[in-house]
Amino acid sequence: MSSSSPDPTASDAPEAADAPLSQDAAQELEGIDEDTVVETLEVEPTHEIHHATGLATGPGAPGVAKVDPILVADHITRSFGGNKAVDVDHLEIPRNAITALIGPNGAGKTTLFNLLSGFDKPDTGEWSFNGRSLAGIPAFKSARLGQVRTFQLTKVLARLTVLESMKLGANGQRGESIWQAVVPPLWKSQEREIEERALGLLQKFKLFEKKDDYSASLSGGQRKLLEMARALMTQPEFVLLDEPMAGVNPALVQSLLDHVLDLKAEGMTVLFVEHDMHMVRHIADWVVVMAEGRIVAEGPPGEVMKDPAVIDAYLGSHLDEDIGVITGRYDEEGNRLP
Amino acid sequence: MNWGSILDNTLSFMLSPETIGFMLAALGLAVHFGYAGLLNFGMAGFMAIGAYGYAISILSFGFPWWAAMLVSIVGAVIFAILLGIPTLKLRGDYLAIVTIAAAEIVRLLFQSRVFDEWTNSADGLGGYHDSFRSANPIPEGTFGIGPWEFTSDQWWSRLFGLFLVALGLLLVWLLMRSPWGRVLKGIREDEDAVRSLGKNVYLYKMQALIIGGVLGALGGVVIALPSAVIPQYYLPSLTFFVWTALLLGGAATLFGPILGAVLYWGVMAFLAGLLPAMANEGWLPMSSTAAGNFRFVLVGLALMLLVAFRPQGLLGNKKEMTFVK
Amino acid sequence: MTTIGSLRRRRSAPRASGASTPAPGPQHTSPWRGLWLIVVTFFVVILQAAAPATAQGDGSQVNVEEHDQNIVANVRYNNEPVAEVRVVVSGGGYEAEAVTNERGQVRIGVPTTDPYEVLLDEETLPEGVTVEGENPITVAFGSQFFAPANFFLGEDVRETASFMSQFIERFFNGINFGLMLALASIGLSLIFGTTGLTNFAHAEMVTFGAIIALWMWNLGLPILLAIVVAVIASGLFGWSFDAALWRPLRRRGIGLVQMMILTIGASLAGRYIFLIFIGGGTSQLPGTGGVRHQIFGPVKLSTVDMVSMGLSLLVLLAVSYWLLRTRIGKATRAVADNRQLASASGIDVESVTRIVWVIGGALAGLSGVLWAYFRPGIKWDMGVQILLLIFAAVVLGGLGTAFGALIGSLVIGILVEVSTLWIPSDIKYVGALGVLVIVLLFRPQGLLGRRERVG
Ligand SMILES: Nc1ncnc2c1ncn2[C@@H]1O[C@H](COP(=O)(O)OP(=O)(O)OP(=O)(O)O)[C@@H](O)[C@H]1O
Ligand SMILES: [Mg+2]
């Protein structure tokens, strides 16, 4: 059952490659590192560069094949009435990388999340996780296989305490079987281990002091943190985060970003939705852009944000500035504005 | 007005099989609603299945009383599964309506002349007591003090009922402090969140429906033990009365259903004595029958006041309010 | 305790002679086979009224002692009495049955002087014989305490034709019933749509209309005027129900589940208030159970039936017009669709809600009056008797969609009536409720409803 729990040391990606990347990101957050930005601005997209990311097998284009995809989706469509909310021809998510899913409001990002995680059923389509088809698999099973998600509108378990919600997340609990539940000795020792792990995560997510409070009493940002920590209790291999930073106090954003980067360091794969291009630019290894249900662009962050199709999707065709301008922090040269 | 006898009746009724049966049914409802958040309004159906399963097994098939009770339990499990398959995926309000409908289907079938051979249709069943009474370990005679003076047979059904209540309490206590109970409470709060964590929400809800349903069926058996089984008893209003008892005590508490059942029947018995007596004295502008029915108006009002002003019940924690959505 | 304990024995004695034990006479089938004359049954009222209950416990005399009024049914074929035939009397919530004795007769006591339906169970007739005349027969008491019902038997030759005609007749009955349900369910659905409230007390709004009509008529108003007053009063009742209870609770922001349980409390309280006021009996509105005219083919409708159907259709058309064409109607649909969005786009949601309560109340009141004619009779719990059917109709159509409720009502009404061709009438509601469960199995959002979004 816990086949999904990845062992960081046995992960495919060399650890050496991870560490600098996270450092870069941290630096970029401070707005120091201009090299990478300039680089993506000046160099025309070539095969070598794509290979340099080590993720894709070809140039960044919608549906490009990945070297080692964790998730492969084909022909996924979902309509609501006449409105085609999702229409994805082919999509691969690279393993052990942070992929950002961006796109204007109503682009179909959340709907795609719902479909991939089994919370909604597509009209057509096939997708597989680790080579295993997930089409038609109920949500809880795909979560058990190691693919967990969080929700755009946080779903806290209001009348459970923070610690209880965390412990609920752990998978493979013996005491969750009704027959064993009535015999506490069967599950007490496991319960202690789970509690230890939960407390460790709470410490990391700065929620330790809140552990005995009802989840309902948490602030919006704390809820985002709790939801992420709770998802991590399942020891997933692939996490789908729907706007994990939305509405979060800037002071908390920093620590959330660190957590996301840590996940990769621990060998997990992350797919996250985010509207703030600045953040996407700094933590994503790969960016997928959706508009009106379709994937309109794919590629490494710096490059994608220059893609006319992306600028189109966000701003309309007459503007050709770098997409980073949206956040108001960069000029077209990629320099941070005062 | 004879205050002594009214008080006597009240106290006596607080230890009646009906009260004890309500304890079990309310405990079952606590598992459904208080812990799992299932808006089951079909408890009367489970109680009917328990009572009829017991009576029919004895009368038509000559089962001993304990085997008849097993039949009731199996009947409740089957009904829970049949009810759960179409309903557990439904939204709360749909679930409420469909569970009432299912309980009504059960009652109409028991009441129908189609199965008259076994159910005796609208007139119901009686005369199945011998087997249970023959197992009575209490010596002949009348025991007890004051209002609680009962014959050996009366004690036997009461004590047996209380024994089932104790078993039920132990089971619910054990379950709700286990990880299983934690998942259930999580489902009550937000089932999508629990689903996203890899729990088979449907299975847990089904298990909860079964456990609560079996408790309800046993409640039905306990109520029927010393009396009769009559289809008109299992109207949807029976479910509402159990709900009132549950919400009175506190839905998400262990002892709430027990306290709620005792208080509910205490007040009902008290009013059943008081109101007609007041009407007879001319203090109420209605006949004594109408005055007797007036207590159901009060039940309705009590249910409303409870839900509006003290949804957590008497034993519940204000922070742990019963209603979230 | 002992009295109840002996219930089964007391009850099963008369029963046994009818169902399981072989009857003394062998006239079960053979003497009747091959006879061809259409036979008239008759009765000798004086004789029977005077005759002492000779055969107590033989199953032909039921509840005769308990009630003052008796219905006497005679079953004869070729001028000979037919024994061992089951006859069921029902009406006003009361139901009893008996099995004819050697004189082809049953006598069943009934609690009130209201009209009752007397049904002959054709399954129990000798082979090859069927009822030629009306079955069931509606009997009314005059000034006497007994009422006759005579069954005409004949040879069973027109089985297929009679099935078709029965089907058509019940189909029409079903439409009548469905239209009446639609009045109540559209109101329920609109209230749900605009406020999210699952209103169990809608049943009491139905009963309220019927009771006011009865009261007005008792005060001397002509019945049509009484009905108009009842509908207006029901509308006012709906308004004040909202103003006194639901609006303040909405303001307090009470959750929808809590509100639903509140409506259950209100329903209980209201029902028992009615019981205190009008007692446990059944009362009739004037014109109930009138003569049924042949309309076309096998369709027979009484004047009341026709007026009821016409009125329902008219009102439903008016409501549809209101919803589709008028500004307030469109606003209502907008609010039912999405309360927040409607509010944000400048619709006065509270006043729409008020109007919906008034209209829902008035429609429920009218359906109560029609239900009183259809049942027939006014009783304190008449509303809850159809509450689940109303819910079934609303859920079938998808909670909150007015036209879904209309379609659902017709489906339920027709289903309930037509299904009695195959299933015993005392479980005819089971079919409708079963359909409700099955539809939700495949379409958890109802037939026309929309799915909610996750995440
Ligand atoms: N259950 C639903 N019923 C009807 N329409 C829906 C439903 N869910 C999504 N949609 C529609 O599908 C489209 C895509 O919605 P989705 O939530 O996936 O957008 P999104 O990309 O997540 O947007 P945002 O960035 O604002 O979160 C929208 O037009 C939305 O209105
Ligand atoms: Mg979204």
Side-chain angles (χ1 to χ4, degrees):
Chain A
M1 213 164 278
S2 55
S3 65
S4 56
S5 61
D7 184 349
T9 55
S11 84
D12 308 305
E15 285 196 17
D18 292 338
L21 242 167
S22 349
Q23 254 177 19
D24 278 355
Q27 282 173 343
E28 273 193 310
L29 257 180
E30 315 290 330
I32 303 167
D33 190 330
E34 287 175 12
D35 284 354
T36 44
V37 179
V38 172
E39 186 184 50
T40 51
L41 279 173
E42 285 175 353
V43 182
E44 281 302 300
T46 63
H47 283 251
E48 293 85 77
I49 289 183
H50 298 297
H51 287 296
T53 65
L55 298 172
T57 58
V64 64
K66 305 296 176 316
V67 177
D68 180 14
I70 191 166
L71 185 115
V72 181
D74 280 298
H75 312 297
I76 297 194
T77 60
R78 175 72 167 104
S79 313
F80 298 105
N83 163 25
K84 215 164 207 183
V86 168
D87 184 2
V88 170
D89 228 24
H90 184 81
L91 174 65
E92 295 185 8
I93 305 293
R95 187 187 303 279
N96 195 13
I98 298 176
T99 304
L101 181 59
I102 63 171
N105 292 121
K109 304 178 296 290
T110 301
T111 309
L112 182 64
F113 263 38
N114 286 348
L115 296 172
L116 294 179
S117 58
F119 277 87
D120 192 4
K121 292 205 168 34
D123 304 327
T124 65
E126 267 291 319
W127 67 105
S128 60
F129 170 68
N130 270 338
R132 195 179 155 155
S133 173
L134 283 189
I137 299 272
F140 81 91
K141 274 198 187 140
S142 71
R144 272 190 202 170
L145 289 171
Q147 176 199 300
V148 298
R149 68 167 296 180
T150 63
F151 296 89
Q152 180 170 2
L153 303 170
T154 45
K155 293 182 179 296
V156 289
L157 306 172
R159 285 178 294 158
L160 260 55
T161 66
V162 170
L163 183 58
E164 276 177 322
S165 319
M166 289 294 287
K167 291 201 281 190
L168 175 63
N171 52 10
Q173 297 189 46
R174 285 192 289 272
E176 284 182 359
S177 136
I178 190 164
W179 306 109
Q180 300 185 36
V182 287
V183 190
L186 290 179
W187 47 264
K188 274 286 187 212
S189 65
Q190 192 190 27
E191 180 83 356
R192 269 191 295 275
E193 286 163 25
I194 288 170
E195 182 157 337
E196 231 160 79
R197 202 149 56 80
L199 290 175
L201 270 174
L202 284 179
Q203 206 115 47
K204 217 165 121 190
F205 280 69
K206 311 216 165 48
L207 286 171
F208 189 82
E209 279 70 44
K210 293 271 172 195
K211 68 181 166 54
D212 294 320
D213 291 3
Y214 284 113
S215 306
S217 68
L218 297 185
S219 75
Q222 289 171 325
R223 286 173 189 216
K224 284 275 177 197
L225 285 172
L226 174 61
E227 189 165 88
M228 208 158 128
R230 195 177 66 194
L232 296 182
M233 282 298 289
T234 65
Q235 296 174 310
E237 197 179 342
F238 181 28
V239 278
L240 298 93
L241 308 172
D242 200 345
E243 304 199 12
M245 287 53 135
V248 173
N249 177 332
L252 272 165
V253 166
Q254 177 67 58
S255 81
L256 264 170
L257 286 180
D258 285 343
H259 290 314
V260 173
L261 289 166
D262 281 353
L263 298 184
K264 190 172 87 167
E266 285 166 26
M268 285 179 225
T269 305
V270 179
L271 174 65
F272 77 108
V273 174
E274 184 49 64
H275 282 293
D276 190 326
M277 293 310 133
H278 176 60
M279 284 174 215
V280 171
R281 188 197 288 271
H282 294 298
I283 67 165
D285 303 321
W286 192 261
V287 177
V288 176
V289 188
M290 275 184 91
E292 288 165 9
R294 296 166 180 281
I295 295 190
V296 293
E298 256 193 73
E303 181 188 322
V304 156
M305 286 169 197
K306 287 176 56 201
D307 188 325
V310 178
I311 296 166
D312 239 35
Y314 271 91
L315 297 167
S317 49
H318 56 286
L319 289 169
D320 54 0
E321 286 99 319
D322 184 293
I323 197 77
V325 173
I326 292 169
T327 64
R329 282 179 249 195
Y330 286 79
D331 62 15
E332 52 272 28
E333 305 286 38
N335 299 315
R336 196 185 165 98
L337 293 171
Chain B
M1 196 179 304
N2 189 345
W3 287 102
S5 87
I6 291 177
L7 226 63
D8 231 38
N9 280 338
T10 302
L11 291 173
S12 168
F13 211 93
M14 287 165 112
L15 196 66
S16 69
E18 190 144 22
T19 306
I20 298 169
F22 257 59
M23 292 178 191
L24 282 163
L27 188 63
L29 210 50
V31 173
H32 289 161
F33 174 68
Y35 294 109
L38 294 172
L39 278 174
N40 173 23
F41 278 92
M43 204 39 139
F46 283 102
M47 296 168 81
I49 282 176
Y52 271 100
Y54 179 73
I56 292 174
S57 301
I58 293 178
L59 291 173
S60 296
F61 301 101
F63 282 21
W65 64 275
W66 52 269
M69 272 180 206
L70 287 181
V71 169
S72 295
I73 291 173
V74 172
V77 172
I78 293 172
F79 181 58
I81 292 172
L82 289 180
L83 180 65
I85 289 171
T87 58
L88 288 182
K89 290 191 171 140
L90 297 179
R91 249 161 53 179
D93 41 4
Y94 278 134
L95 181 67
I97 295 168
V98 171
T99 46
I100 297 189
E104 273 292 273
I105 289 177
V106 166
R107 182 182 68 86
L108 288 170
L109 288 178
F110 281 131
Q111 189 173 319
S112 163
R113 284 185 300 272
V114 179
F115 309 106
D116 188 71
E117 194 183 328
W118 301 282
T119 60
N120 201 18
S121 53
D123 301 292
L125 298 167
Y128 45 73
H129 309 109
D130 292 348
S131 173
F132 181 69
R133 286 185 187 150
S134 68
N136 185 356
I138 308 168
E140 290 271 333
T142 306
F143 314 93
I145 42 154
W148 299 292
E149 206 171 275
F150 303 113
T151 66
S152 154
D153 276 343
Q154 287 172 329
W155 272 118
W156 175 220
S157 36
R158 282 166 176 74
L159 289 178
F160 185 80
L162 287 174
F163 169 71
L164 290 182
V165 170
L167 274 188
L169 279 174
L170 179 70
L171 178 75
V172 173
W173 179 70
L174 279 172
L175 282 176
M176 293 313 158
R177 61 197 284 277
S178 75
W180 185 87
R182 192 161 60 211
V183 176
L184 213 58
K185 288 181 218 162
I187 291 171
R188 173 187 72 194
E189 300 304 315
D190 192 323
E191 60 176 82
D192 280 333
V194 176
R195 199 172 277 132
S196 78
L197 297 171
K199 318 291 178 198
N200 187 350
V201 167
Y202 192 64
L203 179 75
Y204 283 96
K205 282 197 199 175
M206 185 66 93
Q207 289 173 343
L209 191 65
I210 290 174
I211 291 176
V214 166
L215 288 171
L218 287 174
V221 171
V222 169
I223 294 173
L225 266 184
S227 54
V229 184
I230 297 187
Q232 280 295 312
Y233 180 74
Y234 304 96
L235 284 169
S237 41
L238 173 66
T239 303
F240 304 152
F241 298 153
V242 178
W243 268 87
T244 309
L246 174 72
L247 291 176
L248 184 60
T253 61
L254 189 61
F255 290 101
I258 313 302
L259 178 72
V262 170
L263 286 182
Y264 175 83
W265 277 113
V267 172
M268 287 301 271
F270 181 68
L271 293 178
L274 180 73
L275 293 175
M278 280 170 70
N280 284 336
E281 300 271 335
W283 299 347
L284 282 179
M286 52 179 96
S287 74
S288 64
T289 330
N293 285 324
F294 189 66
R295 65 203 169 116
F296 293 103
V297 178
L298 296 178
V299 171
L301 293 178
L303 183 57
M304 296 175 76
L305 291 174
L306 269 174
V307 172
F309 296 109
R310 204 176 164 86
Q312 73 273 29
L314 290 177
L315 295 185
N317 174 349
K318 182 81 190 169
K319 259 199 248 159
E320 243 193 294
M321 288 258 285
T322 332
F323 302 92
V324 264
K325 287 158 222 162
Chain C
M1 233 177 270
T2 44
T3 48
I4 309 173
S6 60
L7 229 161
R8 186 184 162 84
R9 259 165 283 134
R10 189 155 55 83
R11 176 66 176 64
S12 52
R15 187 25 108 71
S17 74
S20 47
T21 55
Q27 79 268 64
H28 213 73
T29 49
S30 50
W32 310 107
R33 203 167 281 163
L35 292 178
W36 58 275
L37 263 176
I38 293 171
V39 172
V40 178
T41 61
F42 68 95
F43 56 98
V44 190
V45 169
I46 315 285
L47 255 179
Q48 283 150 6
T54 43
Q56 274 301 343
D58 73 351
S60 69
Q61 317 281 316
V62 171
N63 293 347
V64 177
E65 307 282 288
E66 284 88 336
H67 302 297
D68 293 336
Q69 303 82 353
N70 291 335
I71 289 176
V72 177
N74 294 283
V75 183
R76 291 201 162 206
Y77 181 47
N78 198 17
N79 221 8
E80 297 279 345
V82 186
E84 304 289 308
V85 179
R86 196 166 74 104
V87 176
V88 184
V89 167
S90 61
Y94 173 80
E95 193 168 272
E97 60 174 84
V99 180
T100 52
N101 57 16
E102 301 79 51
R103 286 181 288 122
Q105 190 184 75
V106 296
R107 177 185 290 267
I108 300 174
V110 291
T112 64
T113 51
D114 300 322
Y116 285 87
E117 233 177 40
V118 183
L119 176 86
L120 188 151
D121 183 357
E122 300 199 39
E123 304 269 303
T124 59
L125 283 177
E127 241 172 81
V129 177
T130 184
V131 178
E132 277 265 304
E134 260 186 51
N135 184 26
I137 297 173
T138 306
V139 300
F141 290 91
S143 50
Q144 294 113 319
F145 285 117
F146 53 85
N150 310 300
F151 289 98
F152 298 72
L153 301 190
E155 264 187 294
D156 187 10
V157 284
R158 296 176 306 168
E159 179 59 44
T160 47
S162 81
F163 175 82
M164 213 36 226
S165 61
Q166 274 191 46
F167 179 84
I168 293 173
E169 193 185 346
R170 296 199 190 172
F171 190 81
F172 262 77
N173 249 343
I175 290 179
N176 191 0
F177 188 41
L179 288 172
M180 182 221 86
L181 283 180
L183 292 176
S185 47
I186 285 182
L188 182 75
S189 188
L190 281 176
I191 290 171
F192 176 84
T194 48
T195 63
L197 186 70
T198 311
N199 184 20
F200 281 80
H202 211 71
E204 277 53 52
M205 293 166 67
V206 169
T207 316
F208 181 82
I211 289 180
I212 296 295
L214 178 72
W215 187 40
M216 286 296 130
W217 185 67
N218 283 341
L219 285 183
L221 258 61
I223 184 62
L224 283 180
L225 194 57
I227 293 174
V228 170
V229 172
V231 171
I232 293 171
S234 301
L236 287 176
F237 180 51
W239 176 82
S240 49
F241 200 30
D242 179 50
L245 203 55
W246 307 117
R247 201 180 319 151
L249 288 170
R250 272 199 302 278
R251 290 245 173 82
R252 278 188 54 190
I254 278 192
L256 286 177
V257 169
Q258 267 163 295
M259 294 267 250
M260 186 181 83
I261 300 177
L262 275 161
T263 69
I264 290 175
S267 165
L268 269 182
R271 204 180 321 159
Y272 281 94
I273 288 174
F274 292 149
L275 175 61
I276 289 170
F277 271 95
I278 69 169
T282 305
S283 342
Q284 299 294 343
L285 288 173
T288 304
V291 189
R292 304 170 75 203
H293 317 282
Q294 192 102 14
I295 305 297
F296 62 87
V299 179
K300 273 180 278 169
L301 294 171
S302 69
T303 315
V304 167
D305 287 340
M306 287 187 281
V307 171
S308 159
M309 282 169 90
L311 196 60
S312 311
L313 271 176
L314 214 69
V315 170
L316 290 172
L317 282 176
V319 171
S320 309
Y321 178 84
W322 176 72
L323 279 174
L324 293 174
R325 291 273 181 271
T326 66
R327 252 192 39 176
I328 297 180
K330 285 180 193 165
T332 305
R333 281 192 303 147
V335 176
D337 201 49
N338 187 332
R339 199 177 163 91
Q340 272 84 35
L341 193 66
S343 164
S345 54
I347 295 174
D348 182 354
V349 172
E350 269 303 319
S351 81
V352 165
T353 306
R354 250 192 312 276
I355 291 169
V356 162
W357 271 100
V358 170
I359 289 181
L363 289 176
L366 178 60
S367 87
V369 172
L370 301 185
W371 175 225
Y373 278 111
F374 194 89
R375 275 182 83 236
I378 292 173
K379 211 172 163 229
W380 63 286
D381 64 347
M382 61 186 281
V384 275
Q385 288 174 4
I386 49 164
L387 180 67
L388 279 179
L389 295 185
I390 296 173
F391 271 129
V394 170
V395 171
L396 267 185
L399 276 179
T401 52
F403 293 102
L406 173 61
I407 295 168
S409 302
L410 286 173
V411 171
I412 292 286
I414 292 167
L415 185 84
V416 164
E417 289 296 318
V418 172
S419 68
T420 55
L421 285 173
W422 298 280
I423 63 173
S425 67
D426 63 357
I427 53 169
K428 64 181 176 186
Y429 290 175
V430 170
L433 299 180
V435 165
L436 164 70
V437 176
I438 290 164
V439 165
L440 288 178
L441 180 57
F442 294 106
R443 275 191 73 79
Q445 65 276 33
L447 281 181
L448 301 181
R450 234 181 305 124
R451 276 181 68 164
E452 276 173 23
R453 95 174 250 152
V454 190

